[in-house]
Amino acid sequence: MSNQATLGADLEPPTTDLITLTRHILSQQYALGEDATGDLTMLLIAIQVTSKYIASNVRKARLINLVGLAGASNVQGEDQKKLDVLSNDIMVNALRASGKVSVMVSEEIDDAIIVGGSKGTYCVVFDPLDGSSNIDAGVNVGTIFGVYKVKEGSEGSIKDVLRPGKEMVAAGYTMYGSSCNLVLSTGQGVDGFTLDEALGEFILTHPEIKIPSRGKIYSFNEGNSLHFYPPTNNYLNSIKYPENGKPYSARYIGSMVADVHRTLLYGGIFGYPDDKKSKDGKLRMLYEAFPMSFLTEQAGGVATTGTQRILDIIPPNIHGRCPVFLGSKDDVEDLKKFYAEYDGEKRW
């Protein structure tokens, strides 16, 4: 048999059973039986549509250099980009139009959005374009979102989102880069989808994502290490100068979506700690720390402030912040040991 024939025999034909995101969501909700109302399905489909539209606009921005200052700052004091504003408007309008949302919280807006007259049974918290300052450099950016169910008897208020992340019913992110990837959990594990632009559909490409119990990569902004508390620096030294002579590799992109995406797939640890300069950390609980921690735990990993499970925290306000360490179970447990040994005064 020729080499060409042998090669052909070894190749498996591509699957013809394409599982789209819509089909996947419907099958998960169908499994709930009488408890499924279809509302969460409609909501997640609306988020899927916004992801496609934002992905299209990110590509356009990179092609024609659309990005420029919008002449304003967001509530975090960061310069807003035109694409930030556009992405926020896309999310708000699509979620409102779905009819399934009563409350929205966006990184770009000071106050919670209460959808008047809505009978929606869900609240959505989101960062419409995480890492937008990296767009001109071609770095991956993304949308992060979390979903709460409105409390029984409530018509939708800010109290419905000032709840621990463990009460979320769904969370995910969409990453816009060389490909467009959507990673989602509805509390039944984590699945990854890739946008097939020819079909205009997200296709299941990473089913049942599981974080390795230990990785070989750490992802911290060590430019801030001067300000880190001792437990963080001591942990980093332990993996950079280990006794076994096998140090971890450093990988830090500076876009949370991209760094967490790599951590979910390859393992290791991602960290954005509190420090002497940022007493509460930099990442926002509702629409950054909680959704990513939800995904991490659903994939078999651990997410902590160093001393507390992130998903147990009750946010003090809609833009409250907290330290974040998440990733492979063994790696995060190692870090927690350094915090357990620390006797300095710390809030978390």
Side-chain angles (χ1 to χ4, degrees):
M1 184 180 290
S2 68
N3 288 338
Q4 184 175 4
T6 303
L7 179 61
D10 291 340
L11 292 176
E12 291 192 14
T15 179
T16 56
D17 184 22
L18 300 180
I19 300 176
T20 66
L21 177 56
T22 303
R23 173 182 164 186
H24 178 77
I25 294 169
L26 287 170
S27 66
Q28 285 196 334
Q29 294 302 296
Y30 180 75
L32 296 177
E34 294 180 356
D35 293 333
T37 63
D39 286 357
L40 183 59
T41 300
M42 295 299 295
L43 173 58
L44 294 175
I45 288 173
I47 291 174
Q48 174 186 189
V49 172
T50 67
S51 296
K52 294 176 185 176
Y53 192 33
I54 294 173
S56 174
N57 281 283
V58 168
R59 286 196 300 272
K60 290 177 184 176
R62 286 173 168 160
L63 285 171
I64 62 176
N65 196 25
L66 173 68
V67 181
L69 291 179
S73 295
N74 65 13
V75 296
Q76 318 302 336
E78 302 164 337
D79 288 331
Q80 284 184 314
K81 302 289 189 179
K82 286 180 179 177
L83 205 53
D84 283 348
V85 178
L86 179 62
S87 300
N88 183 72
D89 290 347
I90 291 169
M91 289 287 290
V92 170
N93 291 333
L95 293 172
R96 180 184 283 120
S98 75
K100 307 303 179 185
V101 180
S102 290
V103 183
M104 289 180 270
V105 172
S106 168
E107 184 197 26
E108 303 297 337
I109 301 175
D110 289 30
D111 302 315
I113 301 171
I114 308 299
V115 183
S118 172
K119 295 183 180 180
T121 55
Y122 291 97
C123 312
V124 182
V125 294
F126 56 91
D127 182 347
L129 200 64
D130 174 69
S132 58
S133 61
N134 291 316
I135 290 175
D136 285 344
V139 174
N140 288 5
V141 295
T143 299
I144 308 172
F145 61 89
V147 181
Y148 289 97
K149 193 169 178 60
V150 173
K151 289 183 177 180
E152 188 173 348
S154 173
E155 295 182 357
S157 73
I158 193 171
K159 293 181 180 179
D160 289 305
V161 295
L162 292 180
R163 297 154 62 187
K166 64 185 177 185
E167 296 184 20
M168 285 183 169
V169 296
Y173 60 82
T174 307
M175 184 174 67
Y176 314 111
S178 56
S179 61
C180 179
N181 305 95
L182 192 153
V183 176
L184 173 70
S185 175
T186 58
Q188 302 174 60
V190 181
D191 296 285
F193 304 80
T194 302
L195 180 62
D196 185 318
E197 295 183 13
L199 295 176
E201 293 279 359
F202 280 99
I203 305 299
L204 180 64
T205 52
H206 296 76
E208 301 177 7
I209 295 173
K210 294 293 183 185
I211 303 179
S213 60
R214 182 175 293 280
K216 300 178 180 179
I217 298 171
Y218 73 96
S219 185
F220 288 66
N221 181 2
E222 290 190 271
N224 290 328
S225 59
L226 174 66
H227 307 292
F228 287 170
Y229 289 110
T232 306
N233 278 325
N234 291 342
Y235 170 71
L236 290 174
N237 286 335
S238 77
I239 58 176
K240 290 191 293 183
Y241 310 103
E243 293 181 359
N244 65 8
K246 298 179 180 179
Y248 278 36
S249 297
R251 299 286 186 273
Y252 185 72
I253 298 170
S255 170
M256 187 184 189
V257 168
D259 282 315
V260 172
H261 186 70
R262 182 196 57 248
T263 303
L264 282 174
L265 296 181
Y266 300 158
I269 184 169
F270 166 84
Y272 210 119
D274 55 339
D275 57 35
K276 298 164 190 172
K277 188 171 63 172
S278 303
K279 300 293 184 181
D280 294 331
K282 292 292 292 289
L283 298 177
R284 274 68 64 158
M285 297 181 196
L286 278 181
Y287 41 80
E288 290 175 326
F290 285 0
M292 293 308 201
S293 297
F294 187 94
L295 290 168
T296 299
E297 289 197 3
Q298 284 291 315
V302 175
T304 180
T305 65
T307 59
Q308 182 180 6
R309 180 190 181 208
I310 288 174
L311 293 182
D312 285 339
I313 302 170
I314 299 175
N317 58 72
I318 62 173
H319 298 295
R321 304 169 189 254
C322 73
V324 174
F325 302 98
L326 58 81
S328 296
K329 182 179 184 298
D330 291 349
D331 290 315
V332 180
E333 292 297 338
D334 285 348
L335 173 128
K336 288 168 64 177
K337 292 175 185 175
F338 285 89
Y339 274 84
E341 296 168 358
Y342 182 57
D343 59 2
E345 286 190 25
K346 281 181 49 56
R347 174 181 172 186
W348 298 101

